[in-house]
């Protein structure tokens, strides 16, 4: 497949997730919730998690933002639901390393690996990482916070 066709395919995957986000909304049985803002562009993301026995049983996100932030959140939820929190932490680290241009194995990231090209656009990195930072903070949030 020619490089431009691959770029088109990646763009289409990102647009599909942004236009039809997976796990969008609120989670009524969440036991961890967080809201993060990207002060650079104004994106706001809320993340609800249902974690039981160190397994992410379910999650949902809300808020508003650019195509990249919404697609990243949608892709993240698909990749992380059903994973142990330790696996999800490793995925956060893998995504963070990938998005700054490090050479990493992206297989665990599923569709989110298509965001690798964001590393070429430093102004968009915070958009792509917003959901992943929210996941990290929510998983490490004490129940009383």
């Amino acid at each position: 497949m020619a490089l431009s066709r691959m770029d088109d395919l990646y763009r289409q995957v990102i647009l599909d997730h942004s236009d039809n986000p997976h796990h969008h909304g609120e989670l009524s049985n969440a036991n961890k919730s967080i809201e993060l803002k990207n002060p650079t562009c104004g994106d706001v993301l809320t993340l609800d998690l249902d974690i039981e026995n160190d397994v992410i049983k379910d999650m949902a996100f809300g808020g508003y933002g650019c195509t990249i932030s919404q697609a990243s959140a949608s892709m993240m939820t698909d990749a992380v639901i059903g994973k142990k929190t330790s696996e999800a932490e490793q995925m956060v680290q893998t995504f963070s390393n990938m998005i700054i241009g490090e050479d990493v194995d992206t297989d665990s990231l599923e569709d989110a690996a298509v965001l690798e090209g964001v590393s070429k656009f430093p102004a968009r990195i915070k958009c792509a990482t917003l959901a992943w930072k929210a996941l990290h903070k929510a998983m490490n949030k004490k129940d009383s916070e």
Side-chain angles (χ1 to χ4, degrees):
M1 186 178 291
L3 186 56
S4 64
R5 295 191 70 185
M6 285 296 288
D7 286 345
D8 289 344
L9 175 63
Y10 292 159
R11 255 185 242 124
Q12 190 59 49
V13 170
I14 292 167
L15 290 173
D16 283 347
H17 273 278
S18 177
D19 292 344
N20 305 295
H22 304 175
H23 309 285
H24 191 264
E26 296 179 8
L27 199 62
S28 62
N29 59 337
N31 52 26
K32 302 271 186 177
S33 294
I34 195 162
E35 178 182 286
L36 281 188
K37 298 176 184 171
N38 180 351
T40 306
C41 64
D43 290 356
V44 176
L45 184 124
T46 58
L47 187 65
D48 295 331
L49 297 167
D50 176 18
I51 298 174
E52 186 177 312
N53 298 323
D54 289 324
V55 174
I56 299 172
K57 305 290 278 182
D58 202 2
M59 66 191 311
F61 76 98
Y64 53 89
C66 67
T67 299
I68 295 294
S69 72
Q70 298 299 292
S72 183
S74 176
M75 294 174 190
M76 180 191 74
T77 59
D78 283 350
V80 169
I81 291 174
K83 299 284 192 295
K84 292 182 177 181
T85 55
S86 59
E87 293 173 293
E89 283 287 0
Q90 183 59 48
M91 293 168 72
V92 169
Q93 189 61 51
T94 299
F95 187 85
S96 298
N97 291 342
M98 175 193 79
I99 214 71
I100 61 170
E102 291 185 15
D103 187 24
V104 295
D105 181 355
T106 59
D107 287 349
S108 66
L109 300 177
E110 301 177 13
D111 280 354
V114 303
L115 294 169
E116 186 173 20
V118 171
S119 66
K120 298 172 188 164
F121 306 96
R124 306 308 300 268
I125 289 174
K126 287 184 178 179
C127 301
T129 57
L130 185 63
W132 298 84
K133 286 181 180 176
L135 175 61
H136 170 75
K137 287 187 178 218
M139 287 192 300
N140 290 291
K141 187 176 175 184
K142 294 182 178 164
D143 291 336
S144 60
E145 292 183 63

